Amino acid sequence: MYKMQKKDQKQIVMPYGGVIMDVVNAEQAKVAEEAGAVAVMALERVPSDIRAAGGVARMADPTKAEEIMNAVSIPVMAKCRIGHIVEARVLESLGVDYIDESEVLTPADDVYHLRKSDFKVPFVCGGRNLGEVARRIGEGASMMRTKGEPGTGNIVEAVRHMRQIQAEIRMLTGMSEDEVMTYAKNIGAPYHILLDIRDKGRLPVTNYAAGGVATPSDAALLMELGADGVFVGSGIFKSENPEKFAKAVVQATKNYQDYALIAELSKDLGTAMKGIDMNTLAPNERMQNRSE
Ligand SMILES: O=C(CO)[C@H](O)[C@H](O)COP(=O)(O)O
C-alpha cells in the first residue's frame, strides 16, 4: 500500500499489459469481458458521445453501474466529476470497485480535487505531467492514467503525456535531494512523493495510458512508451466491429512487441472510429485542460 492511502482503503490491482474498456450497458460489458478486458468503466456515454453532446456531463445513472456490475465478474469502475464529494460517495455506496475522478466529465470543483484518502473505495485519476501525477497521488489516488484527449480517436495527446511523464521520471532519477526540492517547487508537486518516485525509478502506483486509442497498434505504442496498460473508450464501440477491435486491442496490449502478431490482429478489422485532428480543437474544447 502506498503511504498516502488509508489503511482500510482497498487497493487497485491491475495487471501489466491489461486493458480497461468503457462500456455503456450490460451487452458491451460482456463484449469487453469476453475479449479479455481486466476491468470495465461504466458510463452513460463513451467520451466521443460526451464530446458530441456538449453541456454538463455528470455521474451516470446508478442503474447503469448496477446493470453493468450484475453483468460481469471483472471489476467495475465508474466516473465521478472532479471534486464532487457526493457523486463519489454515491458510487462508493453502490459498491463499484473503483472510482475514476475524471476530466471526461465536467468538473464540479475547479479548484479542489477529492481528498481520495478519505474514502474506502480506491480512485484512479488522470495526469499529463509529473506535477499533476504527484498531486493526485498526494491526494490518495491508487492508480494513475495519462489523460490523452478522450473521444478523439487521436493518439497524439496520449503519446505526448506518456513521453512527458517518463522523461520527467528519468530526469528525477539523476537529481540530488536539494535538486528534487527545487523541482518540487517548480512543478507544484509534493516533495516526498517526488523523492519516492526518484528512489523507485517509476511511479509508486500503476499507470495506464488513456485517451484516443483507436487501433491495436495505438495500444501497443503506449505500452512501448512505458504504460502499464491502457484504457480504451470510444475506440472499441465506435469502430465498425467492436468485438473484433476489443479482442485485437487486448492481444496487442499484452503482446506489444510481437509485431507479426499485431500485423495479423490488424488485418480485416473493419473501419476504426473516425478521428479528430487536434488542430481543430480549441484549448477550451480539450477535456485534458479541465484540471491540473
Ligand atoms: O477517461 C477514461 C479513462 O478513465 C476513458 O476511459 C478514456 O479516456 C477513454 O478515452 P477514449 O474514448 O478516447 O478511448
Side-chain angles (χ1 to χ4, degrees):
M1 187 183 75
Y2 191 61
K3 56 181 172 290
M4 296 310 297
Q5 292 154 271
K6 237 181 160 179
K7 278 202 190 64
D8 57 351
Q9 191 178 42
K10 281 194 327 185
Q11 292 307 295
I12 302 190
V13 183
M14 285 293 154
Y16 183 73
V19 175
I20 301 174
M21 285 181 206
D22 287 0
V23 297
V24 304
N25 54 39
E27 191 191 329
Q28 290 188 354
K30 285 183 187 145
V31 168
E33 186 171 40
E34 274 162 30
V38 295
V40 288
M41 175 80 70
L43 282 164
E44 196 109 358
R45 302 183 176 110
V46 292
S48 64
D49 288 336
I50 292 177
R51 186 177 288 288
V56 174
R58 310 179 179 91
M59 170 187 81
D61 182 328
T63 317
K64 187 71 75 185
E66 285 173 346
E67 172 192 333
I68 291 165
M69 285 192 286
N70 289 333
V72 290
S73 58
I74 52 178
V76 176
M77 297 187 172
K79 287 185 194 296
C80 73
R81 280 178 273 179
I82 289 171
H84 206 310
I85 300 162
V86 175
E87 284 189 353
R89 287 293 181 197
V90 167
L91 292 173
E92 183 176 54
S93 79
L94 289 176
V96 300
D97 294 284
Y98 313 120
I99 297 177
D100 183 4
E101 186 185 22
S102 179
E103 68 286 351
V104 166
L105 307 181
T106 45
D109 191 322
D110 60 3
V111 179
Y112 300 106
H113 280 72
L114 292 170
R115 191 176 149 77
K116 291 162 275 292
S117 49
D118 282 348
F119 291 74
K120 284 213 166 101
V121 63
F123 283 79
V124 57
C125 287
R128 293 171 293 186
N129 53 51
L130 204 58
E132 290 184 6
V133 167
R135 287 194 288 281
R136 300 296 84 79
I137 294 172
E139 293 154 0
S142 301
M143 177 177 177
M144 289 303 304
R145 56 176 169 74
T146 47
K147 288 179 177 172
E149 189 51 44
T152 59
N154 189 337
I155 200 64
V156 70
E157 295 299 303
V159 167
R160 187 196 313 284
H161 301 158
M162 188 53 67
R163 279 201 179 271
Q164 171 72 25
I165 291 164
Q166 295 298 88
E168 284 185 274
I169 293 172
R170 277 193 293 276
M171 205 165 67
L172 199 59
T173 56
M175 285 187 195
S176 62
E177 290 183 9
D178 46 355
E179 289 168 341
V180 174
M181 180 59 87
T182 296
Y183 193 55
K185 177 196 74 175
N186 290 343
I187 66 172
Y191 170 68
H192 63 290
I193 289 175
L194 289 190
L195 265 192
D196 191 31
I197 295 170
R198 181 197 71 167
D199 294 346
K200 289 187 165 78
R202 60 153 292 137
L203 299 185
V205 298
T206 304
N207 185 30
Y208 274 27
V213 172
T215 67
S217 297
D218 286 349
L221 170 60
L222 294 169
M223 293 298 293
E224 189 93 39
L225 295 176
D228 293 325
V230 298
F231 283 89
V232 194
S234 323
I236 302 290
F237 293 103
K238 291 292 170 187
S239 70
E240 192 182 345
N241 190 334
E243 282 87 355
K244 270 176 118 174
F245 266 81
K247 287 184 181 140
V249 166
V250 166
Q251 288 309 315
T253 305
K254 203 180 281 177
N255 304 290
Y256 67 95
Q257 287 182 322
D258 187 341
Y259 308 115
L261 173 69
I262 298 171
E264 282 309 308
L265 293 168
S266 306
K267 286 180 186 166
D268 302 321
L269 265 184
T271 315
M273 76 172 279
K274 185 169 163 30
I276 299 176
D277 182 342
M278 292 308 298
N279 293 321
T280 65
L281 274 188
N284 66 357
E285 294 173 310
R286 297 182 185 202
M287 292 170 172
Q288 63 180 278
N289 293 343
R290 287 171 167 173
S291 72
E292 54 183 36

